[in-house]
Amino acid sequence: MSDLEALLDRLKAAQRMLVLQAAELAMLPPDGTLRKIADLENTIAAVEALIDEERHADPRP
């Protein structure tokens, strides 16, 4: 597994943990938690884009 894929797995696990913790609350999660979830989503998208670029990169001699 590449370093990027390992990072992606860690990011997704961290986001999942925050979402599951937020689901246990009887109210909306705190703004800080919502921000962390959103920041993780943006980072996940960026890492997925990099992985996709690497997969489709033209090998240069």
Side-chain angles (χ1 to χ4, degrees):
M1 179 182 297
S2 78
D3 290 341
L4 286 174
E5 289 170 332
L7 173 59
L8 183 61
D9 288 344
R10 291 192 306 273
L11 291 167
K12 286 181 176 181
Q15 186 186 44
R16 177 180 169 78
M17 181 188 67
L18 286 172
V19 170
L20 291 174
Q21 287 174 350
E24 293 175 0
L25 299 174
M27 58 185 188
L28 284 175
D31 287 344
T33 301
L34 293 174
R35 245 186 317 278
K36 286 178 186 177
I37 292 169
D39 287 345
L40 284 165
E41 186 65 26
N42 288 332
T43 307
I44 288 167
V47 172
E48 287 175 336
L50 283 172
I51 291 171
D52 191 51
E53 284 177 20
E54 282 190 351
R55 286 185 181 145
H56 296 97
D58 292 337
R60 299 191 179 195

